[in-house]
Amino acid sequence: MSANGAMEAEFRAKRAAGRKLLVPYVTGGYSGWQDSLRAAVAGGADAIEIGIPFSDPVMDGPVIQQASQQALDDGATPVSILHEVRSLDVQVPLAVMLYYNTVHHAGHKRFAAELADAGIVAAIVPDLPLEEAGPWCGSAVGAGIVTVMLAAPPAPESRLPLVCARARGFVYSVGLLGVTGERTRLASTAVALAARLKAVTDVPVLVGVGVSDAEQAAEASTVADGVVMGASVVRRMMEGGADAVGEFVAGVRRRLDA
């Protein structure tokens, strides 16, 4: 497999076939999370982002914070979550979203190897600055793990090509400034930033943060190659379990395919 990895190859092939990409986020370690993840895959997810809970999540809003805290209270650790990932047996690429402290604590090479051993193909580390990402990205690629880079709305034009040059798998286009969470409408910044990124890269561009329902997913995907959906999925996981997650993801999938 090329250094760009299985996820990017699959995403590029689906994009070429006219499909919009749907990547739900599920909090690892939360009660029943594996069933919710499988339900999201059955509902039409193209990949899954698995959150590794952390005690000081700078990017997570109240819904994901609540799920993460519950997982931590139940004893979830990066090691235990990766152990559970091994038994998932799903046929879509799996990414983890985690904070750099977790990577640093384990050590770059060791942690990258642990991800690969569990079947993870990509990592999203939102608090790792582009300028400091080299050592981790190098260790990750050595283990077959790609690193998804984030771009935020205030980024100057000169920075976007640098982010995209480092990005593998996809570019995470942050829909708006602030923490994750559901909102009544898609921020205008979401489509604007996706368009700026699409102008400077051929790597798939997905909008995340603030994409709350099927209509917003479709609106973002008029410009972007697809969406990452977090709080809206996690809320359903907490309120209704796997069935609610599967139903929601299937509804978004239908809208994207319409």
Side-chain angles (χ1 to χ4, degrees):
M1 179 56 62
S2 74
N4 293 343
M7 174 182 278
E8 186 171 329
E10 193 167 312
F11 280 9
R12 284 175 177 272
K14 287 182 172 181
R15 177 176 67 181
R19 181 180 174 97
K20 291 298 183 176
L21 302 162
L22 174 56
V23 182
Y25 170 105
V26 174
T27 303
Y30 187 86
S31 176
W33 77 274
Q34 293 157 291
D35 289 335
S36 290
L37 185 152
R38 292 187 186 101
V41 173
D46 295 292
I48 301 288
E49 184 181 334
I50 301 168
I52 306 288
F54 184 58
S55 55
D56 186 24
V58 295
M59 187 174 159
D60 299 329
V63 169
I64 292 176
Q65 275 197 32
Q66 184 184 344
S68 295
Q69 190 58 53
Q70 186 62 57
L72 291 171
D73 291 348
D74 290 343
T77 65
V79 171
S80 71
I81 291 167
L82 291 177
H83 179 71
E84 292 173 331
V85 168
R86 290 181 175 87
S87 63
L88 286 170
D89 191 30
V90 292
Q91 304 305 309
V92 301
L94 300 175
V96 290
M97 202 288 268
L98 72 167
Y99 291 96
Y100 180 68
N101 190 61
T102 303
V103 178
H104 178 72
H105 181 73
H108 289 175
K109 286 190 176 179
R110 178 179 151 207
F111 192 71
E114 288 174 355
L115 291 181
D117 189 52
I120 299 294
V121 300
I124 303 164
V125 192
D127 60 338
L128 179 60
L130 174 67
E131 292 75 11
E132 299 170 25
W136 158 250
C137 290
S139 296
V141 166
I145 304 294
V146 299
T147 302
V148 173
M149 300 302 292
L150 293 87
E157 293 304 322
S158 60
R159 186 172 179 80
L160 296 185
L162 303 177
V163 171
C164 294
R166 174 67 79 180
R168 299 291 184 271
F170 66 92
V171 181
Y172 195 123
S173 179
V174 177
L176 75 168
L177 281 179
V179 296
T180 62
E182 293 179 271
R183 290 166 173 84
T184 55
R185 56 188 291 271
L186 187 71
S188 58
T189 49
V191 175
L193 177 60
R196 290 169 64 202
L197 288 165
K198 292 286 289 178
V200 296
T201 187
D202 188 48
V203 177
V205 173
L206 274 65
V207 174
V209 183
V211 183
S212 304
D213 58 30
E215 286 306 316
Q216 291 177 28
E219 184 182 346
S221 296
T222 58
V223 174
D225 298 307
V227 292
V228 178
M229 301 185 76
S232 54
V233 175
V234 172
R235 179 172 63 80
R236 285 165 175 84
M237 178 175 73
M238 292 194 291
E239 293 177 356
D243 288 347
V245 169
E247 188 177 323
F248 176 69
V249 172
V252 177
R253 179 77 267 164
R254 285 192 297 272
R255 182 65 183 83
L256 290 176
D257 291 345

